[in-house]
Each structure stands twice: as C-alpha cells, then as structure tokens.
Amino acid sequence: MNDGFGHEVPPRHAQQTHRAVTRYLVVIDSGSGTLARLFLPDRTQVAEFDAGTEEVSQLAKGVPATTGASGAEWDKALSGHTAAERASATVYVLDI
C-alpha cells in the first residue's frame, strides 16, 4: 500500500530505428522548374524541393559535382524524367 504517494513507473521507451544518412543531392530540371531531390545510399528518395532555395546552396557548398544521372543505378529513382533531363542533372555526393 502506497497511501497515494508516488506515481506508477512509465513503461520502457521503445527505440525506433532511424533512417540512413542522405547521400545524394540531385539538381534536375523538370517541366515545372528545377528541383532538388535527396536520396539515400540505395537511391530511395527522401525529399524533393525547389532548387532555388538556400538549403541547396548550403548542402552543395564545397562538394564536387558531376553532370549526368543517366546510369542504370538512377533508372528507378529518376524514372519520371526524360533522358535529356537526366543527362543534364547535377549530382552531388554528400559525405558527412
């Protein structure tokens, strides 16, 4: 008997798994403008936003870029883009 003092101990916290670190930033033209897309190492997209934002310049600052995302590894991730858009895309490999 606790005479009303104290509280029940809360249950143990269930630790959730975190997603992997974002590895690729792809700046690509589309019909509606230029997009910035973020991908995981397995090329799963995790974000898409306007490439004109300050965040894109912050992410790409000091990171060497390559032109073109025409390789087979990008086929599924960029399937909604034309071959010309993929060929002119700028890809940044983000190392944290």
Side-chain angles (χ1 to χ4, degrees):
M1 190 159 164
N2 68 2
D3 294 326
F5 296 106
H7 299 282
E8 180 181 355
V9 176
R12 219 177 151 83
H13 180 72
Q15 191 65 271
Q16 295 181 356
T17 58
H18 299 284
R19 73 171 168 82
V21 175
T22 302
R23 183 64 54 201
Y24 301 102
L25 167 64
V26 177
V27 178
I28 190 167
D29 288 327
S30 71
S32 60
T34 306
L35 297 174
R37 301 173 90 186
L38 294 173
F39 295 92
L40 297 177
D42 65 354
R43 304 224 174 27
T44 301
Q45 182 177 325
V46 293
E48 177 179 299
F49 47 94
D50 180 27
T53 62
E54 183 180 345
E55 288 81 6
V56 174
S57 62
Q58 292 283 331
L59 285 169
K61 187 176 183 178
V63 178
T66 58
T67 301
S70 300
E73 66 274 10
W74 291 106
D75 285 347
K76 184 177 177 185
L78 299 175
S79 62
H81 294 279
T82 65
E85 290 172 345
R86 289 178 57 183
S88 65
T90 305
V91 180
Y92 298 91
V93 179
L94 306 174
D95 290 325
I96 299 191

